[in-house]
Amino acid sequence: MKLLIKGGRIIDPANNLDMTGDVLIEDGLIKAVAPAITAGDDAEVMDAAGLIVCPGFIDMHVHLREPGFEYKETIATGVRAAAVGGFTTVSCMPNTDPVCDNRAVASFVVEAARREGLVNVHPIGCITKGQQGQEITEMAALVEAGCVGISDDGKPVMNAEVMRRALEYALMFKLPVVSHCEDANLSEGGQMHEGYYSTLYGLKGIPAVAEESMVARDIMLTRMTGSRLHIAHISTRESLELVRKAKESGINVSCEVTPHHLTLTDKELAEYDTDYKVNPPLRSLEHVEALIAGLRDGTIDCLASDHAPHEKEVKDCEFNLAAFGISGLETAVPVVFTHLVATGKVDVNTVVKAWTVGPARVLGLDRGTLTPGKVADITIIDPNESRRVDPQQFYSKGKNNPYKGMNLKGWPYATLVNGRVIAWKGQLV
Amino acid sequence: MVFTHRKDLLGLADLSRDDIDTILDTAVPMKDVLTRDIKKVPTLRGKVICTVFYENSTRTRTSFELAGKYLSADTVNLAVSTSSVQKGESLKDTIKTIEAMGTDVMIIRHSMSGTPHYVARNTHMRVINAGDGAHEHPTQALLDMYSIREKKGSLEGLKVAIVGDIEHSRVARSNIIGLSKYGCEIRVVGPATLLPAEIEALGVKKYYDVEEALDGVDVVNVLRLQLERQKKGLFPSISEYSQRFCITHKRLSVAKKDVLVLHPGPMNRGVEIDSRVAESAISVVNEQVTNGVAVRMALLYLMMGGAA
């Protein structure tokens, strides 16, 4: 089995590569990357002229909802959404029902994903049993079952002592602790970012400091324990400053940002459209600008969708009653290409890095590069493809997406896992 | 006109100064109808108005109902506490049900901001916001503005102090938005914990000291203090609130001689407003209620009675 991807712009940040050339895949592995490769007659050829050829994109923060919330998403629908969205690997959050706080649930997720056989799925286990924030989980069992990190995503670990012990215990397994930084007392009842627009719209605000105070706490705990901390969906300027300073002083901290926090502001809630209701909330413009700068200068390591699919009923209702979350796997790539790359705000190499080697390093995955010999997980982007977002056409069960109706440019052209094309031009193969 | 190209009234933010002038001007003859012996004109015969209140209300709901009746519309009230809402019916289904019965205008009050917007998106009926969460209460602000204009002759450039729980007050927001269109100098005063984030960006001045805030003002609009806020830890006690913010004659002595005092009701006498002030000649609390009916008649007329 040989496949030659010909004449594309190859971007492989792990190897500092940005050139026009060919990628040869053989038996599911990268065989060669060079300006011009002559393959034998037995090689299938894909013309990639005008396309961007990258290592397979990794979305390290998705909610696949199974087990327990199959009416929101299943592993089967979630991996399909990932594939057409241009992702070859996802790591899924543990706030299912039951939560992924033990070997059995983690094994179930791994096995269910393996049966689908589309994209690589790595579960993230809970920090605490039942996500209750009280007792730390059996991390050895979680790791054995395939977990690549731990997080109580959606529920912050409010007890600093518990967080300290979790960070320490995770050290033994080199597990990143993925922290959803939110002081639940400061954010209680909040519906949107606290600021001018929350005052104007009369919605209870979630102050930026609800995130920042916990980022500060977790960085201090990480400094003390020498552990590895990853800040999930960072959303404020001061959070970013804290991460920047922590990195400068050698603390092992990384962070991710979502496409929506980079491209939408709190102003958009004027019509109380619940598709814009997300946690952390869409922030004001100065935060958005700081996040873009943070992605540009490398303070932000990863892009992640925080794909949070929901059934219609919990979004088609009063704003306060609506669930938080955006079904983002299928628009993450074009949103970033349209609003950040095409506008010149962020260089395409930086974007590719944050979707490949960035998350691969955080999660310790042997993925995210086109180095010969590595698994041929590849994402190919067509930067000129323009399409209107129609959530009803999503593979995801979740149609909750604020980019609905918008024209976006720069869509995934093909997604390859183990050298096999699994999605092509927005459709599963 | 105001409602030629606009289906709903969701907030004063959507209206221009001209729109507001039209509504207030139309309310003047409506107030005459109210003072007649036979308070009925046939303007809205055959039109159906439904009030749907998810929060308690004495004056707003009754005011809308009477405004409709004086204009000969048929008015019904959905008593939410005895309706299918209690059986778990969704808001969307409730809207569709009311629409299916032939209702022309749905008047909604809801504790959650933005609910009228959601309703308006999901129905062909016209929707009037009768108060949504801490967002807007446009008809209250319109009746406040009517009351001020009637006494002062004009709204232009007046100094207006709004006193109390600004954070949770839709009355405050609608007043700020409406009066700003007339170049008023608007001051808000209350405990720091009840003044919302970046309130000054709405073009108002912020005060913690009530005497400073009242200095030289033409109008004082006193907000109702929701006593349950104390339990949420937003202020330490009713008595300390009252000592610092209760509107008394003594405190009003720094205001203009002809200062006007408004209160949207219901009042907590002795908490946010002294009884002697409420009952004095400078208070227009009762006239506000009358004007509320006139303003709502004007609105319903402009919405359904054709061109003004």
Side-chain angles (χ1 to χ4, degrees), chain A residues 196 199 201-202 271-272 316 321, chain B residues 92 113 118 121 135 173 197:
Chain A
Y196 171 74
T199 292
Y201 303 155
E271 295 301 315
Y272 301 89
D316 189 11
L321 301 181
Chain B
K92 196 171 191 179
S113 300
Y118 174 76
R121 272 201 297 277
H135 176 230
R173 282 175 183 71

Side-chain angles (χ1 to χ4, degrees), chain A residues 194-196 198-203 270-273 312 316-321, chain B residues 91-92 110 112-115 117-118 121 134-135 173 177 196-199 201-202:
Chain A
E194 180 173 312
Y196 171 74
S198 66
T199 292
L200 192 61
Y201 303 155
L203 290 170
E271 295 301 315
Y272 301 89
D273 183 341
K312 186 171 189 282
D316 189 11
C317 61
E318 296 89 326
F319 196 87
N320 287 43
L321 301 181
Chain B
L91 177 58
K92 196 171 191 179
H110 204 286
M112 296 173 191
S113 300
T115 302
H117 298 68
Y118 174 76
R121 272 201 297 277
H135 176 230
R173 282 175 183 71
I177 292 164
E198 297 182 37
I199 181 71
L202 267 63

Side-chain angles (χ1 to χ4, degrees), chain B:
Chain B
M1 293 322 286
V2 187
F3 294 103
T4 313
H5 300 290
R6 183 183 288 117
K7 180 167 82 74
D8 313 297
L9 177 64
L10 303 180
L12 290 195
D14 306 330
L15 298 185
S16 69
R17 179 174 165 156
D18 281 351
D19 292 334
I20 294 172
D21 282 339
T22 302
I23 295 166
L24 299 184
D25 292 347
T26 309
V28 176
M30 294 299 172
K31 193 170 175 183
D32 290 341
V33 174
L34 281 178
T35 53
R36 287 182 200 163
D37 190 27
I38 295 175
K39 303 176 185 61
K40 198 120 182 150
V41 290
T43 318
L44 297 185
R45 228 167 58 182
K47 299 290 184 184
V48 180
I49 296 164
C50 186
T51 62
V52 184
F53 275 54
Y54 285 78
E55 272 188 342
N56 296 334
S57 161
T58 307
R59 58 213 86 214
T60 306
R61 197 192 57 70
T62 313
S63 176
F64 268 114
E65 184 178 352
L66 287 173
K69 286 193 154 87
Y70 294 158
L71 294 170
S72 301
D74 291 303
T75 60
V76 285
N77 307 307
L78 181 80
V80 171
S81 59
T82 56
S83 72
S84 293
V85 171
Q86 300 304 318
K87 300 177 190 170
E89 185 172 59
S90 76
L91 177 58
K92 196 171 191 179
D93 289 338
T94 303
I95 299 163
K96 291 293 173 197
T97 304
I98 293 165
E99 182 181 71
M101 292 178 185
T103 305
D104 297 293
V105 181
M106 175 167 160
I107 295 160
I108 182 164
R109 165 168 292 186
H110 204 286
S111 62
M112 296 173 191
S113 300
T115 302
H117 298 68
Y118 174 76
V119 171
R121 272 201 297 277
N122 283 289
T123 180
H124 302 301
M125 292 182 285
R126 290 182 182 273
V127 175
I128 297 177
N129 180 2
D132 64 322
H135 176 230
E136 279 224 47
H137 191 348
T139 59
Q140 178 69 45
L142 287 168
L143 77 87
D144 290 347
M145 292 162 79
Y146 185 95
S147 304
I148 297 167
R149 195 179 81 162
E150 193 178 51
K151 294 288 179 192
K152 300 285 179 192
S154 157
L155 294 167
E156 194 70 43
L158 294 176
K159 288 184 181 165
V160 180
I162 306 174
V163 186
D165 180 0
I166 311 295
E167 166 87 32
H168 300 96
S169 176
R170 51 198 176 212
V171 177
R173 282 175 183 71
S174 286
N175 265 281
I176 291 168
I177 292 164
L179 292 168
S180 295
K181 296 180 200 280
Y182 293 85
C184 293
E185 179 188 321
I186 303 162
R187 306 169 177 184
V188 297
V189 56
T193 44
L194 295 175
L195 299 179
E198 297 182 37
I199 181 71
E200 287 153 304
L202 267 63
V204 305
K205 291 183 183 172
K206 180 170 88 173
Y207 295 84
Y208 303 128
D209 183 293
V210 76
E211 275 89 358
E212 266 180 53
L214 297 186
D215 188 27
V217 297
D218 300 284
V219 177
V220 182
N221 201 339
V222 188
L223 301 174
R224 171 182 168 75
L225 183 73
Q226 287 179 281
L227 303 179
E228 64 269 23
R229 303 289 176 209
Q230 190 260 323
K231 291 191 192 72
K232 295 260 183 196
L234 291 170
F235 61 94
S237 69
I238 304 286
S239 78
E240 184 158 302
Y241 180 89
S242 170
Q243 279 164 34
R244 285 194 65 84
F245 297 103
C246 186
I247 299 302
T248 60
H249 279 300
K250 184 162 176 287
R251 286 190 163 134
L252 286 166
S253 64
V254 297
K256 289 244 179 80
K257 287 257 176 308
D258 59 345
V259 67
L260 206 61
V261 176
L262 289 81
H263 191 299
M267 291 185 283
N268 296 302
R269 288 166 183 263
V271 178
E272 72 263 5
I273 187 165
D274 188 274
S275 270
R276 281 159 290 192
V277 172
E279 285 159 17
S280 71
I282 59 170
S283 151
V284 284
V285 172
N286 288 324
E287 280 172 87
Q288 282 176 272
V289 177
T290 308
N291 295 338
V293 180
V295 161
R296 288 171 180 122
M297 287 170 76
L299 262 182
L300 293 171
Y301 170 74
L302 290 170
M303 267 191 167
M304 292 184 292

